[in-house]
Amino acid sequence: LRDELDSRYEYLMGEKIPPKISIKQLYAQKERFFKKQTRVFLNFIDFKNEENLKSFIISNLLGLGLVQVFEPNDKNAYEIKFFFNFKKSYFNVEGFEKYDFNLTAYSYNRNRVKIGFLNFSTGGIGRNFIQAKEDALIKIKQFVQDNINQMNID
């Protein structure tokens, strides 16, 4: 697709656009990142009975090439703190409940300086808390999948 657009631009303007990065360079950077094996300590706070979401987050981070460390005092590891909370909100429909869910994540470098931040809030509606949570988890998982790489862990 990029080659097709470049050829159209070249035809119209009479000059070529140099690519910002080639596919070969992209794969080289990816390979370098995976070889680097960046270590990260994951700290899940307020994740009561949320093993499904917790394992989803861990699998997404490990898919980025990060290595999970289980010792919190590892000085060579980054740290990511995840907070998950919810509260019941007013919903004027009999038989249904509405809850507001919030996922927040802070990433810290090796010197424990904050380097990244993610926050996502969404609502879930259902006949009970479980249905409302299932409704919200779909949106939360999509957000995590789309934005987890913005935690500035390199």
Side-chain angles (χ1 to χ4, degrees), residues 115-133:
I115 57 172
F117 171 76
L118 285 179
N119 187 26
F120 183 70
S121 297
T122 186
I125 299 172
R127 291 199 173 272
N128 55 27
F129 174 75
I130 294 170
Q131 284 185 351
K133 185 173 83 170

